[in-house]
Amino acid sequence: MSMKPYTSKLDLSTGNVDLSHGGGGRAMAQLIDELFIKHFDNDLLRQGNDQAMFTTKAGRLVISTDGHVISPLFFPGGDIGSLAVYGTVNDVAMSGAKPLYLAAGFILEEGLPLADLERIVISMATASHTTGTPIVTGDTKVVERGKGDGVFITTTGIGLVPERVNISSNRARPGYSILINGSIGDHGIAIMAGRENLQFGTSIVSDSAALNTLVEVMVAAAPADIYCLRDPTRGGLATTLNELAQQSGVGMLIDEASIPMKPEVKAACEILGLDPLYVANEGKLVCICSASATDRLLAIMRQHPLGQDAMKIGVVIEDKHRLVQMTTAFGGRRIVDWPVGEQLPRIC
């Protein structure tokens, strides 16, 4: 793949992305060689093919792809690079699968500082390493100045589903428990604070994280008792529960007092007029499991760093209208409907 020697090294301190970096020639080869391969380095990527060939154990594979267009590129608790890895790793893990490999596609805007791009690539490499999911192939394109927003990243992941695990969004049934692994709304409020330079008197940090190791211990503890898993990202907890209710043909009844939420996030939502149920998360999962496995799963989740605040937040109920309802802190009950429009675009 390498076309070394180059006449000079890539200027990662003061240089910028230009159209030649996406032109398929020497400049593009140098960008790939001195930036992407340098940080993503692994045996499959180093082969330099337009695809990656690998062997897997026999079994069920899953594949997921996701585009990341977040603004700003760097935010409290993360950046578009780590988010692009975590987002797809989590989508694969929500099937109960062990993520195996990632592919990454970059659309770069002319003028993007190479220092920013390297910072993003290093973040992706670190996230890839910590999740145990190497980036084994990819693509790079450059668009003219003003026709992008710095960088967009698409990641595709594949994973292998363990035996006895059968997790799908249409498997919720009345009587099952609804669990969540921690507090809601952190990511959306952190992005809004970073984008609008809002000060809330305390730092609100995104919960962006890879959930594959949490899912791994959960499915190992109760492989046949977990029926649905989903990460409540864009649209928040409310949208996720409505999706699961619709796809399973059931209703959901949640308890407001049981839903974990940090006081600073709650205060920020009150100031901004946002309903935290609809605010995005990037390190949370909703689990629907049998009633008999509830306590066991909660105990397992609370032993994991990303599940210490895990709670049972409700139950699946019969409802031909497939509504999500919530018992409020005041003892009343209200419908938690699908969101209308989008509270905050470019969130992930």
Side-chain angles (χ1 to χ4, degrees), residues 200-338:
F200 296 113
T202 183
S203 177
I204 299 176
V205 177
S206 168
D207 61 339
S208 178
L211 297 165
N212 56 314
T213 57
L214 175 60
V215 171
E216 189 173 345
V217 295
M218 291 171 64
V219 297
D225 289 300
I226 300 174
Y227 301 100
C228 307
L229 284 175
R230 183 159 293 184
D231 48 343
T233 55
R234 189 174 46 184
L237 178 62
T239 300
T240 292
L241 293 178
N242 274 284
E243 290 172 346
L244 295 174
Q246 183 68 31
Q247 291 166 353
S248 291
V250 297
M252 306 270 180
L253 178 61
I254 57 175
D255 177 19
E256 183 177 21
S258 299
I259 300 173
M261 189 180 352
K262 294 185 173 69
E264 55 267 36
V265 171
K266 183 177 182 180
C269 286
E270 290 175 351
I271 292 171
L272 298 169
L274 299 176
D275 186 336
L277 294 176
Y278 296 88
V279 177
N281 314 275
E282 285 294 343
K284 297 297 176 300
L285 63 81
V286 172
C287 170
I288 295 182
C289 65
S290 66
S292 61
T294 300
D295 291 341
R296 180 160 35 111
L297 274 172
L298 283 173
I300 290 291
M301 294 168 74
R302 288 169 180 162
Q303 292 176 16
H304 191 281
L306 296 177
Q308 292 177 346
D309 298 320
M311 291 288 291
K312 175 183 175 181
I313 61 171
V315 293
V316 180
I317 59 175
E318 289 190 22
D319 184 354
K320 65 180 181 181
H321 301 295
R322 307 180 182 190
L323 297 176
V324 177
Q325 302 179 60
M326 182 170 74
T327 303
T328 70
F330 299 104
R333 185 178 290 193
R334 74 174 176 92
I335 293 174
V336 179
D337 207 350
W338 290 87

Side-chain angles (χ1 to χ4, degrees), residues 156-170:
T156 299
I158 69 165
L160 183 65
V161 183
E163 293 184 5
R164 299 180 60 199
V165 172
N166 184 11
I167 296 172
S168 177
S169 56
N170 63 355

Side-chain angles (χ1 to χ4, degrees), residues 62-85:
V62 295
I63 183 170
S64 180
T65 191
D66 202 357
H68 303 273
V69 296
I70 193 167
S71 175
L73 298 177
F74 304 95
F75 52 85
D79 56 71
I80 190 172
S82 58
L83 188 72
V85 172

